[in-house]
Amino acid sequence: MLYLTCKNHLIILEQTLKQCSLWSDDAPSKEAMASSAPFACDTMAFEQWLQFIFIPKMTELIQLQQPLPSSMAIAPMAEHVWKGMAQRQILITHLQSFDALLNQQ
């Protein structure tokens, strides 16, 4: 049940990023993708990290039924990055819900 719920969260996250015009057709460079900084904040925008690193990694964990993170805190980064952007509140709220789901398991 947790895997299905997480999959649905990822689908909604992707849809919401697209609705907010934050979805990109162009992937970051290999160098950017190799960043070891939290959220790859030194090489890409937060929404790129969500699209090109977080969503694919979580999708892979779900498909392979691997253990999911039991302590996730993505929403605070979203709150920091999108502070004062009312149009991004829907994304922040969704990420808060996703964090809470995984932190309760």
Side-chain angles (χ1 to χ4, degrees):
M1 185 69 174
L2 178 61
Y3 289 110
L4 179 60
T5 304
C6 285
K7 182 179 177 181
N8 288 336
H9 270 276
L10 293 174
I11 291 167
I12 293 167
L13 177 58
E14 178 178 335
Q15 291 171 341
T16 308
L17 285 166
K18 288 177 179 177
Q19 290 169 356
C20 292
S21 300
L22 296 174
W23 195 259
S24 177
D25 292 329
D26 301 318
S29 68
K30 288 182 183 180
E31 294 81 16
M33 295 288 287
S35 171
S36 61
F39 306 103
C41 64
D42 60 337
T43 61
M44 64 181 77
F46 180 63
E47 57 268 16
Q48 289 177 305
W49 178 83
L50 287 169
Q51 179 181 349
F52 294 104
I53 295 177
F54 177 71
I55 292 173
K57 181 62 178 172
M58 288 296 292
T59 299
E60 180 182 11
L61 292 175
I62 291 166
Q63 288 174 344
L64 298 175
Q65 298 212 348
Q66 294 294 307
L68 299 172
S70 59
S71 178
M72 194 165 84
I74 295 176
M77 182 63 170
E79 292 166 357
H80 172 73
V81 170
W82 295 324
K83 183 178 182 178
M85 297 181 180
Q87 69 275 24
R88 304 285 192 265
Q89 188 58 49
I90 189 168
L91 282 163
I92 294 169
T93 301
H94 181 71
L95 290 169
Q96 289 168 336
S97 174
F98 203 2
D99 283 352
L101 171 69
L102 289 174
N103 292 336
Q104 291 174 357
Q105 61 172 321

